[in-house]
Amino acid sequence: MASPHGGLHTLTKCVFICVTLSGLSAKSYRKPNIVFILTDDLDLSNGGLTPLSKTKKLIGDAGISFTNAFVASPLCCPSRASILTGKYPHNHHVINNTLEGNCSSSAWQKTEESLTFPALLKSYAGYQTFFAGKYLNQYGHAKAGGVEHVPPGWSFWVGLEKNSKYYNYTLSVNGKAQTHGSDYNKDYLTDVLANKSLDFLEYKSNFYPFFMMVSVPAPHSPWTAAPQYQNTFNTTKAPRAPNFNIHGKDKHWLIRQAKNPMSNSSIKFLDDAFRKRWTTLLSVDDLVEKIVKQLEVRGELDNTYVFFTSDNGYHTGQFSLPLDKRQLYDFDIRVPLMVRGPQIKPNQTSQMLVANVDIGPTMLDIAGYNISKTQMDGMSFLPIMEGLMNSSSWRTDILVEYEGEGSNVSDPACPLLGPGVSECFPDCVCEDSYNNTYACVRTLAPSANLQYCEFDDNEVFVEVYNMTADPFQLTNVAKSIEQEVLEKMNRRLMILQSCSGQSCRSPGVYDPRYKFDPRQMFINHSRQHRRLRQK
């Protein structure tokens, strides 16, 4: 299928050269193929999958859906870095979406980029690799090589310059700039990515396995839907769950400062954003259908794993925060994750605790690469998908980390808040700040479903939630929970914040193998000020 969007001859030539030079035996084709579809800001908690009916049918119903999939950080660039490297943010050192925060910086390129799982798939597992879409938020920055820089590990590269857009953007096609305007028939990014993907599937080599990563812009702002879908959800509103438009009176100061009740204009704004987000997803649904159908037509679907997930969640009105994704709560850190593929029985749902640091290890495991050779923090969940592992032998907790951002000067519209805040909406509701810096242990075991978080601020503020009794996280139980639980969770947080590789997979508090030694509570930990119980 020839694409109207260009790059076809380059693709054919590139794949031919890459395959010819690989020097691999023809038997490599027996390895499974892998397709990875990554959305941008797609939530699970607030109905983000509702518009994706074809995706749910073609991937979720045909395989396994994880209901407890989380991200290591609720922000695009740190989360994407965790996906690519299989590492927690404290190990890959991408802390925010800026070049200064190591997002696609020259330092990232020199230290982590050559160790990503796609690079390993290509170099050591013999895969043809294809990328199309948003990579890291600062990709293409002039100070980091511009669009001429093609990350190692990709046989064919179609990288979006900077952040998500739908029109008027630049792509790096194997290091050469390709500009796009505002003509839907030629330029709508989700459709362009679909066509580029179909081109790859048609013109790749059939003698070697392939890995294809398609990173779509939706449902990230500016929420521009395809023309045929713009009016699809005109009567839809953001869900009015128990935590919608509620004052978070026992939470971190940034949550407490949100105006409650929200103004009518703020509610109208977030409802409108919610509708637009859903409309952008309809084109993603089409993209998934096209890719799966193409695999089926080519006779490759039965030997292909297809993953679908997001880089972080999203909120619209929870705890009176208009919209964003930088908070510790489940609506920002829990994401959809569906996988179909060989040895995965259809119509499965798993409640096992998985994280985006596990995606790289899982894909390397599928390819037959020895994960112990890497420094990845995550674990392969391939045994879960194949029904070879139960909850008694799986992990009971994961780490979530976030480093807040704020402006050095006061927001002119909100001078009383002073400097140090950012992402401010009308009514002086700010979604981020310098001291919105936290780390959490998210625990899921037969006997406990908890979240324990500490802020790195002057208060060393603590938030703890019993997710079984309080799934909407309405009540912070840090003041009332048993002291022993606080001490154990504090100790576990310290371990995870300093972990690397295998040590990140050590037994959690609710794992029967866990041994608690209070004498080690404050040894070799970076934070100077810490307290277990709020006063």
Side-chain angles (χ1 to χ4, degrees), residues 422-441:
S422 62
E423 308 296 323
C424 296
F425 285 85
D427 304 318
C428 295
V429 179
C430 299
E431 294 274 3
D432 206 4
S433 65
Y434 281 131
N435 62 358
N436 184 40
T437 296
Y438 56 80
C440 304
V441 178

Side-chain angles (χ1 to χ4, degrees), residues 336-352:
L337 176 60
M338 299 180 286
V339 190
R340 68 172 292 166
Q343 312 304 318
I344 301 178
K345 295 179 180 179
N347 296 306
Q348 290 190 78
T349 300
S350 174
Q351 297 182 353
M352 305 272 253

Side-chain angles (χ1 to χ4, degrees), residues 125-321:
Y127 276 67
Q128 306 165 78
T129 55
F130 167 87
F131 180 89
K134 175 180 172 179
Y135 178 57
L136 300 174
N137 296 57
Q138 296 299 325
Y139 171 75
H141 196 291
K143 293 182 178 179
V147 295
E148 292 77 22
H149 170 69
V150 176
W154 299 103
S155 309
F156 186 67
W157 173 259
V158 184
L160 175 67
E161 182 186 35
K162 305 269 179 92
N163 205 1
S164 283
K165 291 183 178 180
Y166 299 83
Y167 294 111
N168 300 308
Y169 54 85
T170 298
L171 295 176
S172 168
V173 179
N174 295 324
K176 294 184 178 180
Q178 183 183 96
T179 59
H180 285 260
S182 56
D183 183 338
Y184 169 71
N185 294 311
K186 297 188 298 182
D187 302 313
Y188 189 69
L189 182 57
T190 306
D191 292 350
V192 170
L193 299 179
N195 287 324
K196 297 282 191 184
S197 301
L198 298 180
D199 284 348
F200 173 75
L201 290 176
E202 183 164 354
Y203 293 100
K204 64 177 176 56
S205 168
N206 293 327
F207 294 98
Y208 300 89
F210 67 85
F211 169 70
M212 182 168 75
M213 181 172 177
V214 187
S215 182
V216 298
H220 196 285
S221 62
W223 315 307
T224 309
Q228 67 271 28
Y229 295 136
Q230 287 179 353
N231 298 315
T232 307
F233 300 110
N234 280 346
T235 61
T236 301
K237 293 183 177 181
R240 267 52 171 176
N243 54 8
F244 180 84
N245 201 9
I246 294 295
H247 186 229
K249 57 183 180 298
D250 58 3
K251 293 169 172 49
H252 182 234
W253 80 271
L254 190 63
I255 310 301
R256 297 196 303 265
Q257 61 85 33
K259 180 180 179 180
N260 178 262
M262 302 176 72
S263 65
N264 290 336
S265 59
S266 288
I267 292 176
K268 183 178 183 303
F269 175 74
L270 68 87
D271 278 338
D272 186 52
F274 189 89
R275 283 190 290 271
K276 290 178 178 178
R277 281 165 49 80
W278 272 19
T279 59
T280 66
L281 288 169
L282 295 174
S283 293
V284 176
D285 213 27
D286 293 340
L287 173 146
V288 171
E289 181 182 44
K290 291 173 184 176
I291 291 174
V292 172
K293 294 299 183 185
Q294 180 80 334
L295 289 168
E296 187 174 31
V297 167
R298 295 180 56 82
E300 296 177 310
L301 184 58
D302 290 343
N303 193 40
T304 302
Y305 288 87
V306 183
F307 289 69
F308 182 92
T309 191
S310 177
D311 58 358
N312 48 254
Y314 208 73
H315 59 259
T316 46
Q318 285 66 43
F319 303 127
S320 298
L321 299 174

Side-chain angles (χ1 to χ4, degrees), residues 34 40 46 71 92 117 125 188 192 216 227 267 339-341 366 383 420-422 442 453 481 492 496 505-506 516 518:
I34 307 170
D40 196 349
N46 294 318
V71 294
H92 61 59
F117 79 83
Y188 189 69
V192 170
V216 298
I267 292 176
V339 190
R340 68 172 292 166
I366 289 171
V421 296
S422 62
R442 184 67 174 85
C453 302
I481 199 168
R492 182 59 179 160
L496 287 175
R505 304 188 288 274
S506 62
F516 175 58

